[in-house]
Amino acid sequence: QVQLVESGGGLVQAGGSLRLSCAASGIIFRINSMGWYRQAPGKQRELVATITSAGSTNVANSVKGRFTISRDNAKNTVYLQMNSLKPEDTAVYYCNVQLIVANYWGKGTSVTVSS
């Protein structure tokens, strides 16, 4: 059974930093990409950043230069280092794992940035 365990969310003041982690277990097929999406209240879920097994990244313009995505292939774990956080970064952040045969989502971790 595939499980995605997210951690690292919380409450932080504007300008602060947080690091999100997502560990995937129970996956027997090759992982194409891992990443993070977010959904703010009243808004659609949007891409934050993704990273392939080869290390190629795709980062949303709204967080480029502030957020860094990284990955430990041996541990099937993806990280999101979030610096210079802004109130508009407040959202539930979801981990995503894409295989050739399936697509998995975590339950989400809440990030709140106070002004």
Side-chain angles (χ1 to χ4, degrees):
Q1 184 178 357
V2 175
Q3 280 191 319
L4 302 183
V5 179
E6 299 147 323
S7 61
L11 173 64
V12 65
Q13 287 188 331
S17 298
L18 286 174
R19 188 187 193 218
L20 305 183
S21 300
C22 173
S25 62
I27 295 177
I28 62 173
F29 294 102
R30 178 178 172 272
I31 295 176
N32 282 343
S33 70
M34 302 180 77
W36 294 93
Y37 290 71
R38 69 186 181 185
Q39 188 166 16
K43 294 187 177 181
Q44 289 188 331
R45 191 173 297 188
E46 63 177 4
L47 178 146
V48 177
T50 60
I51 183 168
T52 69
S53 57
S56 296
T57 61
N58 182 25
V59 181
N61 287 333
S62 59
V63 305
K64 200 166 290 185
R66 300 187 296 121
F67 291 11
T68 302
I69 189 168
S70 60
R71 175 175 171 174
D72 185 332
N73 289 332
K75 295 181 179 179
N76 281 347
T77 300
V78 62
Y79 306 95
L80 185 68
Q81 179 65 45
M82 306 186 294
N83 298 327
S84 302
L85 282 159
K86 303 176 180 180
E88 51 262 44
D89 295 318
T90 295
V92 177
Y93 285 68
Y94 295 92
C95 176
N96 174 261
V97 172
Q98 290 191 1
L99 315 180
I100 294 177
V101 298
N103 188 30
Y104 295 99
W105 292 93
K107 293 181 179 180
T109 184
S110 181
V111 172
T112 302
V113 184
S114 64
S115 57

